Amino acid sequence: MTSLREGAPAVVKREDYTAPAFVVDTVDLTFDLDPAKTRVLNKMRLRRNPGVAAQPLRLDGEELNLARVLVNGAGTSFKMDGQQLVLEKLPEGDEPFELEIFTTCNPSKNTQLMGLYVSQGTFFTQCEAEGFRRITYFLDRPDVMASYSVTLRADQTAYPVLLSNGNLVEQGPLEDGPNGPRHYAKWVDPHKKPCYLFALVAGSLVHREQKILSRSGTEHTLQVYVRAGDLDKTEHAMNSLMASIAWDEARFGLPLDLERFMIVATSDFNMGAMENKGLNIFNTKYVLASAATATDVDFGNVESVVGHEYFHNWTGNRVTCRDWFQLSLKEGLTVFRDQEFSMDMAGSPSARAVKRIEDVRVLRTAQFPEDAGPMAHPVRPDQYAEINNFYTVTIYEKGAEVVRMQQTLVGREGFAQGMKLYFERHDGQAVTCDDFAQAMADANPASDLARLLPQFKRWYSQAGTPRVQAQGVYDAAARSYTLTLSQSCPATPGQAVKEPFVIPVALGLLDAQGQELPLQLAHWTQPEQGSRTLVLTEASETFTFVNLDSEPVPSLLRGFSAPVVLEHAYSDAQLLTLLAHDTDPFNRWEAGQRLALRQALAAIQADGPVPTEVLNGAYLDAMRGVLRHTGLDAAFKELVLTLPSETYIAEQLDVVDPQRIHAVREAMRAQLANALHADWAQAFDAHQHNGAYRPDPVSSGRRALAGLALQMLCLAARHTGDPVWPGKALQRFKDAGNMTDRFNALNALVGSGHALAQNALERFHALFKNEELVLDKWFALQAGAPDHGGHILPVVKQLLQHPDFHLKNPNRARSVIFSYCNANPGAFHRADAAGYVFWSERVVEIDAFNPQVAARLARALDRWKKLAEPYRTAAREAIARVAAKADLSNDVREVVTRALAD
Ligand code: B3K
Ligand code: ZN
């Protein structure tokens, strides 16, 4: 992020890439750590890059005070060009030379949390994407990889722990300073790395340690550092790290390449975590977990984020990105890897499907809107004004789907071979998305991926969510079923026309009783059992299945085999068949979602007031059937019985009236609550006891279903006035032996707007007033609760005045402001525009000290153009008010400029 706050932000283009003019071989950093004035001595050994024409050295820097520049030990002339330090008089030729730069910076004033900053008295760094330039002048780009040694010097009492990347090679006392004893530690990283992977931590921390042996018998030390008092919440993170290490070795043959691997937690962090080589820095939210303070979802997130950052050690760190346009090379691939890890950890086919459904839900509720909005960009973008704005669901989650499709096209074993070739070719290099896909194809020369590679790569270059239309015609006389698949992709900013994609469509056919039918395409001699993946490459293609005695029910896009919108004119009866019988659990769930969605859309688009009966009897009976089913897992039932979100429903409409969507969905929830009352009660009773807390898929699924049941029972009580279930919810809230049950009970009371909720909220606050992460939940629950007559915004405003609310802490800001603006559409979109006014004020307020967080919040109105009046005009005015501010960061400027573009 740049602090340039005037004029139009400069746009960086992928096509302008040129290799660096200099190579940095070694970097030797010495820090004298002081919150107000940290001194940084940066001694580098550089050479001119042989293949590049001789030119001045331009080093990036930001908010640094420059004191001294020496070349080969002697003073030299230099000039500043904007934020860059330019050295023109450097030794000619290929010989290496020494460059010494001495700067100071002020970590205590660093509210952006990029570069070197202080959180609760401890120093942390965050360098990705362009934070290293806030620490010292450097060639701050990922394709400059160097060997680092780092000496940290600090007061011993305040900063007893001094950490950096690699191995600790020396430590000891220094002469006393004005604050008493001082000490130092020297770290050497054995691996070359780009500067975005540099890290240091200095402060008063405690740690959990674990020794492990890798498959080859090498010993490694694993450490998790936290504040004193949090050690009892680190066991799950350590277990997750050990499981990640074992998994990467077993599945991909990738071992830990470091003697020591450290994770450090901080409460002040802009995102989830950071994969710095050997020294991962984490938001506490993704490290700390105990039964008393974390929910099952939190436990799952810790496992997946610990895995994600660890997997970056190979996919990101050993092989990194040539430039930031290639970000998905490491992020899409690493998300794919963490998804696979979580699935393998989950074990049973049902638990794997639950994870897949959850991932697809994220993709469809967050990435599909992004792909259809003003910030739409390809998985490998062509340009950006601010790279931090491109850490998006498209780069991450759609990028992971693009990797997943490659696995689908080459098979699981072929994919492992492709990974092997990728590392053989590129270990130690900074490469491109093309290099990855090429390795995958070359390792599988006979695969569809190799055959279709140039076309497949359109997934990297074309933005937008493709739509696949499926039409089936059964010919009784010919006993054949002809399936026509057609694809199209809407225009996105800067891309009016799209070429056809390579779309793997996994499918099966069921008979009317739900039995899986053998598949036989017309040209096959033999039928096949089970699923088959068709590869759609043309705008439209026809596939004819033969030997079918009756019209089949197609189960299309099984497992969500491609990130597309699938349109097919299913009859209700066909969807009910799929919901009841499909062997593919994803499509079983999807059938239920489609049934609910079509009824929601009918009620939303109908004239007149919102009906109380939105859901038909067949759907309610089917849901009852799922709830009572003895063969389905609780976790899966919970997913099926959860209605599509308001955001997802909105995406299906051309014109969005958020209040009508909210009202219709609330009516559906109420109907589901009332109509299935006895079944919910039975489900709650059957799933409420789970023994000693363990966050495994089976017991967490049981807690999830019990939680949903309780929510439904309290919702029904709101309509009937029945005091029994709210009373039971309060009791459970009090008695619960773990945070999941406790929070679900609280949520049931708050979500149903019951009078007992207030009392429970107060107790909850009193119980957990010293637990930051639990307080975040407390804030988020209130800001994200279902709105009744506009009551949430005043609640939100009051929460901002709460003594525990701290705007500068990103987790806390997110817990209230994002929960309201980004995650509570029914409360945020108000006819009086007060939600938008609130949003615009907060964007500007936060932008003044933390542009990255502000720019995320600024995305809340991305889809304003779809809104019905009066929301549309009011939203545009709110965005225009933000855009009219003269001193916006590049980050927010880019978001609002794109939002207002035609
Ligand atoms: N690579 C980091 C994200 C850095 C974000 C910089 N704005 C975390 C991750 O994806 O693992
Ligand atoms: Zn990542």
Side-chain angles (χ1 to χ4, degrees):
M1 140 194 14
T2 71
S3 55
L4 182 76
R5 282 178 177 261
E6 279 163 21
V11 168
V12 186
K13 295 193 171 156
R14 184 168 61 89
E15 64 193 19
D16 292 343
Y17 174 83
T18 53
F22 291 81
V23 177
V24 184
D25 289 319
T26 61
V27 182
D28 186 358
L29 297 168
T30 304
F31 289 82
D32 270 299
L33 293 163
D34 180 298
K37 189 176 182 182
T38 285
R39 286 140 33 115
V40 183
L41 179 62
N42 171 5
K43 289 186 183 178
M44 291 176 271
R45 210 173 153 79
L46 294 93
R47 299 176 274 128
R48 292 182 187 275
N49 191 349
V52 179
Q55 54 193 281
L57 173 61
R58 308 181 74 89
L59 298 175
D60 307 294
E62 203 178 292
E63 292 185 26
L64 299 173
N65 304 305
L66 178 60
R68 191 171 76 220
V69 184
L70 302 177
V71 173
N72 287 334
T76 183
S77 64
F78 60 85
K79 68 174 188 190
M80 299 303 301
D81 179 10
Q83 312 232 51
Q84 288 187 327
L85 172 67
V86 185
L87 296 167
E88 283 169 333
K89 297 209 179 96
L90 292 171
E92 308 282 329
D94 296 347
E95 282 307 296
F97 60 93
E98 305 278 338
L99 176 60
E100 188 175 317
I101 300 176
F102 185 64
T103 52
T104 64
C105 57
N106 184 346
S108 66
K109 288 268 161 62
N110 183 356
T111 55
Q112 296 187 10
L113 313 182
M114 283 295 280
L116 178 64
Y117 65 94
V118 180
S119 161
Q120 301 188 350
T122 296
F123 287 94
F124 292 96
T125 53
Q126 171 56 36
C127 294
E128 188 179 359
E130 297 177 338
F132 193 69
R133 64 184 63 184
R134 296 166 60 79
I135 296 175
T136 182
Y137 282 99
F138 201 73
L139 280 163
D140 191 353
R141 43 188 290 171
D143 57 349
V144 172
M145 298 169 88
S147 297
Y148 284 68
S149 59
V150 178
T151 305
L152 304 174
R153 299 149 59 98
D155 289 339
Q156 183 146 20
T157 319
Y159 312 104
V161 174
L162 302 174
L163 308 175
S164 191
N165 318 84
N167 297 318
L168 179 64
V169 295
E170 240 180 273
Q171 61 183 331
L174 293 168
E175 265 179 37
D176 282 5
N179 306 319
R182 286 175 64 74
H183 69 151
Y184 79 98
K186 182 171 178 187
W187 294 80
V188 175
D189 190 341
H191 299 277
K192 284 194 164 216
K193 64 171 176 286
C195 66
Y196 82 85
L197 291 174
F198 165 81
L200 77 78
V201 173
S204 181
L205 300 166
V206 293
H207 71 275
R208 170 187 292 269
E209 183 168 303
Q210 177 77 47
K211 303 268 187 208
I212 58 161
L213 285 182
S214 64
R215 288 189 163 193
S216 63
T218 337
E219 188 179 277
H220 308 266
T221 302
L222 313 179
Q223 296 175 323
V224 179
Y225 287 82
V226 295
R227 275 194 309 259
D230 283 336
L231 214 47
D232 60 337
K233 305 192 192 87
T234 56
E235 187 184 356
H236 183 63
M238 181 62 90
N239 287 342
S240 302
L241 178 59
M242 289 194 290
S244 306
I245 295 170
W247 182 85
D248 218 9
E249 238 186 319
R251 172 114 179 226
F252 290 113
L254 298 172
L256 174 55
D257 60 2
L258 293 154
E259 287 165 34
R260 184 201 274 245
F261 190 91
M262 298 169 280
I263 287 177
V264 189
T266 171
S267 320
D268 293 289
F269 209 60
N270 282 344
M271 63 270 169
M274 178 65 212
E275 69 264 25
N276 315 300
K277 187 80 188 182
L279 180 57
N280 288 187
I281 298 181
F282 271 62
N283 188 324
T284 43
K285 184 172 163 60
Y286 299 109
V287 175
L288 304 180
S290 71
T293 58
T295 61
D296 293 328
V297 172
D298 296 324
F299 274 84
N301 287 341
V302 168
E303 179 181 273
S304 105
V305 179
V306 167
H308 180 98
E309 304 312 328
Y310 175 73
F311 303 141
H312 268 315
N313 193 46
W314 281 93
T315 49
N317 301 4
R318 287 287 285 252
V319 181
T320 193
C321 303
R322 184 192 74 171
D323 54 67
W324 290 122
F325 298 103
Q326 318 298 329
L327 183 56
S328 199
L329 170 76
K330 73 178 180 81
E331 295 305 347
L333 177 54
T334 305
V335 171
F336 168 78
R337 275 153 55 69
D338 83 52
Q339 290 176 346
E340 289 289 291
F341 166 62
S342 294
M343 273 197 236
D344 288 350
M345 294 293 287
S348 75
S350 171
R352 295 177 71 89
V354 164
K355 169 67 179 154
R356 180 68 184 142
I357 291 166
E358 287 166 351
D359 290 340
V360 172
R361 229 168 30 175
V362 170
L363 187 83
R364 294 205 298 208
T365 49
Q367 198 278 327
F368 281 18
E370 178 166 274
D371 235 351
M375 284 294 287
H377 54 276
V379 167
R380 183 192 55 215
D382 293 315
Q383 59 177 61
Y384 58 77
E386 172 49 64
I387 183 57
N388 283 315
N389 284 335
F390 287 80
Y391 286 76
T392 58
V393 273
T394 299
I395 302 294
Y396 278 66
E397 272 71 24
K398 185 176 181 180
E401 294 300 319
V402 172
V403 173
R404 183 173 296 283
M405 285 188 288
Q406 293 178 57
Q407 178 175 263
T408 302
L409 293 173
V410 301
R412 199 172 141 121
E413 187 45 40
F415 187 83
Q417 290 304 319
M419 289 283 280
K420 195 159 165 272
L421 185 59
Y422 174 63
F423 289 111
E424 277 166 18
R425 282 184 182 171
H426 301 299
D427 191 11
Q429 299 172 12
V431 304
T432 63
C433 297
D434 282 337
D435 293 322
F436 177 80
Q438 193 66 52
M440 208 36 85
D442 289 350
N444 297 279
S447 66
D448 283 336
L449 181 66
R451 184 170 60 84
L452 300 165
L453 187 63
Q455 188 186 352
F456 181 85
K457 289 201 298 190
R458 290 177 189 156
W459 283 110
Y460 287 104
S461 59
Q462 297 188 143
T465 307
R467 305 184 92 81
V468 173
Q469 276 178 331
Q471 273 185 322
V473 176
Y474 179 67
D475 180 338
R479 296 174 60 235
S480 71
Y481 180 72
T482 303
L483 182 68
T484 303
L485 298 175
S486 318
Q487 58 165 310
S488 62
C489 182
T492 50
Q495 292 186 338
V497 180
K498 315 284 167 132
E499 301 296 328
F501 291 83
V502 174
I503 303 181
V505 180
L507 57 75
L509 299 177
L510 271 56
D511 69 15
Q513 286 70 47
Q515 288 297 308
E516 187 94 21
L517 292 164
L519 294 180
Q520 187 172 6
L521 280 172
H523 59 276
W524 295 354
T525 48
Q526 289 286 320
E528 281 187 8
Q529 287 298 327
S531 288
R532 171 88 192 178
T533 302
L534 304 178
V535 182
L536 175 63
T537 57
E538 306 290 329
S540 184
E541 279 178 68
T542 295
F543 304 87
T544 302
F545 295 92
V546 294
N547 286 336
L548 295 162
D549 291 331
S550 61
E551 179 171 4
V553 180
S555 170
L556 302 166
L557 207 70
R558 282 185 160 172
F560 202 68
S561 57
V564 301
V565 174
L566 173 75
E567 292 168 355
H568 179 63
Y570 281 113
S571 67
D572 279 9
Q574 287 179 318
L575 289 174
L576 289 165
T577 301
L578 292 170
L579 173 61
H581 302 291
D582 201 342
T583 51
D584 180 60
F586 178 86
N587 268 2
R588 213 164 165 180
W589 169 80
E590 177 77 328
Q593 295 289 297
R594 281 179 190 267
L595 281 166
L597 186 64
R598 72 171 45 162
Q599 297 173 86
L601 295 178
I604 291 162
Q605 289 167 321
D607 294 328
V610 171
T612 44
E613 309 242 313
V614 176
L615 299 168
N616 60 34
Y619 175 81
L620 292 168
D621 286 345
M623 289 299 121
R624 187 176 292 112
V626 170
L627 201 46
R628 289 184 180 176
H629 204 289
T630 48
L632 293 172
D633 282 353
F636 182 75
K637 291 184 181 183
E638 195 268 341
L639 291 175
V640 174
L641 285 148
T642 299
L643 294 166
S645 69
E646 289 174 28
T647 307
Y648 185 63
I649 296 171
E651 277 308 305
Q652 320 304 316
L653 293 157
D654 293 329
V655 179
V656 171
D657 177 345
Q659 286 305 326
R660 187 155 178 106
I661 294 175
H662 178 61
V664 166
R665 190 171 182 278
E666 285 300 284
M668 291 162 82
R669 286 209 312 143
Q671 216 185 331
L672 210 47
N674 295 326
L676 271 57
H677 193 276
D679 308 281
W680 289 120
Q682 203 177 33
F684 178 77
D685 289 339
H687 295 96
Q688 64 169 316
H689 298 299
N690 297 296
Y693 180 81
R694 282 191 58 222
D696 61 277
V698 172
S699 55
S700 67
R702 291 172 58 87
R703 281 186 289 272
L705 186 59
L708 180 64
L710 198 55
Q711 197 187 100
M712 287 290 155
L713 292 160
C714 287
L715 198 61
R718 177 189 171 88
H719 296 271
T720 58
D722 154 44
V724 174
W725 282 103
K728 282 196 186 184
L730 184 65
Q731 199 54 43
R732 188 166 175 83
F733 164 76
K734 291 180 189 165
D735 298 345
N738 60 72
M739 179 52 80
T740 307
D741 288 337
R742 193 188 293 277
F743 196 74
N744 283 345
L746 181 63
N747 181 41
L749 291 170
V750 173
S752 60
H754 199 274
L756 292 174
Q758 203 47 42
N759 179 265
L761 279 168
E762 280 162 24
R763 279 168 175 266
F764 190 83
H765 182 271
L767 271 174
F768 296 106
K769 59 179 179 299
N770 297 321
E771 297 285 352
E772 289 170 351
L773 296 171
V774 184
L775 283 190
D776 289 338
K777 293 182 196 303
W778 182 81
F779 279 107
L781 178 64
Q782 296 175 76
D787 195 79
H788 303 295
H791 83 292
I792 295 289
L793 182 57
V795 169
V796 165
K797 288 183 175 170
Q798 240 181 357
L799 290 174
L800 295 193
Q801 304 304 318
H802 194 282
D804 291 328
F805 183 78
H806 309 294
L807 187 68
K808 291 210 167 131
N809 174 250
N811 285 359
R812 195 54 54 82
R814 284 188 278 259
S815 73
V816 179
I817 302 170
F818 286 53
S819 298
Y820 175 66
C821 298
N822 296 39
N824 196 349
F828 176 55
H829 298 277
R830 296 166 55 110
D832 66 3
Y836 305 155
V837 171
F838 174 83
W839 166 85
S840 62
E841 288 169 355
R842 300 290 83 72
V843 170
V844 171
E845 187 181 11
I846 296 172
D847 193 39
F849 62 87
N850 191 331
Q852 258 183 72
V853 172
R856 293 275 153 166
L857 178 61
R859 302 279 313 270
L861 278 176
D862 264 11
R863 301 294 274 140
W864 69 272
K865 282 187 184 164
K866 272 175 86 122
L867 294 171
E869 295 296 355
Y871 308 101
R872 189 176 193 274
T873 299
R876 195 193 57 234
E877 282 171 3
I879 303 168
R881 266 199 309 282
V882 174
K885 295 277 175 196
D887 59 350
L888 290 178
S889 67
N890 260 355
D891 310 53
V892 170
R893 171 76 58 212
E894 181 173 35
V895 172
V896 293
T897 305
R898 288 177 72 137
L900 293 173
D902 293 331

